[in-house]
Amino acid sequence: MDDKALFTKLLRLQPPWYITEVVLDEAGTRVDIYIDHQKPVRFPCPICEQFCPVYDHAQEREFRHLNVCQVPAYLHVRVPRVTCSEHGVQQVTHGLAESNGTMTFEMESLILDIEQECSLESVSRLLTVDWHTCFSLQQRAVERGFSRKDSAIPERIGVDEKSFARGHKYETLVYNIDKGTVEYVCDDREQSSLTPYYRRFTAEQRATVRSISMDMWDPYIAATKQYIPDAESKIVFDRFHVMKYVVDAVDKVRKQENDSLKENGNDQLKGTKYLFLWNQENIPHWRREEFARLQAQDLKVCRAWAIKENIRHLWEYRYEGCMRKYFAQWYWWATHSRLEPIIKAAHTLKAHLANIVTYAKHQITNALGESLNAKVEKVKRLACGFRNRDHYRTAIYFHCGGLELYPKRSNVAFQIIGA
Ligand SMILES: [Zn+2]
């Protein structure tokens, strides 16, 4: 088998294309493969798909292809242009790469494969492709994915905020809870962050939303009430976020108590922060004795902890009435605890109770997308702290958008004249 036949097979090159020459440079650092098409031939006009005669050929283009035995390969082709009686002179679809691409479909797909696993910096280093090219391929993959995605609004939506880079910058993420995908990412966590998402859809589409899980965060609530009909009965405050108010209150109680104990030379609460933040079943075995010892004493933080553990049962009820009844008992207990942070948290929960107990009907939390959450965190780690919001957003859509990212190779239609 000669080199042309070998590469025709390796490249899975289909007619009308054939290889005219394969050149390995002196130093063995690149393989150049020259491609031409059979003649005489007619190609379809890219607009109306009518077969038309070849008019001329565009300037030679070079496409980076996969490596051959670690040596980068490049395809060279002069793409034919046809004259269509209706559309004039048009360049034909050549099927080797995307029309504006500089890489073959295979090379682009390989880069996207590796981008799934590594940071852009690593991809750039491993494949000796510059960083900006890696990023623009990722960006293009996301655009391609969105162009293929159907425009329906999810029936069950999760709205979450994520801290971005260092400091107090936030991004708002909208999840499709059932598919476990990120649907939308935008700056900050204002009402204006969420409204553009809802406004992408018609009123009829928005009416199909059945439930929305979110934090007790007024701007999100306001945006949702403005755009989702009957939002009052559809918003469910996310269990994790609700619990966080109580957990933070326990931590405040511990801090205050630790400070006053330390003043009297007592440091028994030193190093106990997580003992009181963990759920009971998550306390490690080797610390359970220590925890039991603390509980045997009349500590404020132990009372706060018991109150926190009890509110967790709220989400076990399947009827709104039962949830309300359970909450009323808990609320009485919490507000009579004489623990200021706990009382404050109890008031916050009570003020938002109407959309905490909607859980009974809808049974949703953002944790349904828990694996999604882990993925988002992984994206943040992969990027070692994004400095640029655009890059961050693109990476989130790329890794968590559930998009069809890959370019599709297609064969070229052609007619041999006289065949
Ligand atoms: Zn045409």
Side-chain angles (χ1 to χ4, degrees), residues 45-50 52 84-88 90:
C45 159
I47 300 168
C48 65
E49 296 183 356
Q50 294 250 36
C52 311
C84 173
S85 54
E86 209 181 326
H87 301 104
Q90 295 288 337

Side-chain angles (χ1 to χ4, degrees), residues 2-18:
D2 70 3
D3 55 358
K4 287 179 216 162
L6 175 69
F7 276 100
T8 301
K9 285 218 156 175
L10 287 177
L11 294 173
R12 286 179 287 134
L13 209 59
Q14 297 289 325
W17 303 118
Y18 68 96

Side-chain angles (χ1 to χ4, degrees), residues 64 103 107 111 120 123-134 137:
R64 167 79 195 262
M103 288 180 185
M107 184 65 185
I111 293 177
L120 292 179
V123 179
S124 164
R125 204 171 50 243
L126 287 169
L127 295 177
T128 57
V129 173
D130 79 280
W131 186 94
H132 291 282
T133 306
C134 293
L137 289 181

Side-chain angles (χ1 to χ4, degrees), residues 149-199:
K149 187 183 163 88
D150 73 28
S151 69
I153 190 166
E155 283 191 356
R156 305 202 295 170
I157 294 175
V159 181
D160 209 351
E161 77 283 336
K162 289 265 168 233
S163 62
F164 162 80
R166 274 181 218 100
H168 294 279
K169 288 180 189 164
Y170 286 91
E171 294 275 305
T172 296
L173 271 61
V174 178
Y175 301 149
N176 178 331
I177 287 190
D178 294 292
K179 287 193 177 157
T181 51
V182 173
E183 296 292 302
Y184 185 70
V185 186
C186 66
D187 293 353
D188 307 318
R189 44 175 186 167
E190 306 299 327
Q191 187 169 344
S192 59
S193 310
L194 199 50
T195 47
Y197 176 69
Y198 289 136
R199 288 173 71 163

Side-chain angles (χ1 to χ4, degrees), residues 156 236 315 317-318 358-365 368:
R156 305 202 295 170
V236 181
W315 287 274
Y317 292 95
R318 292 293 170 261
T358 42
Y359 178 83
K361 182 177 170 201
H362 298 295
Q363 304 274 319
I364 59 165
T365 73
L368 288 176

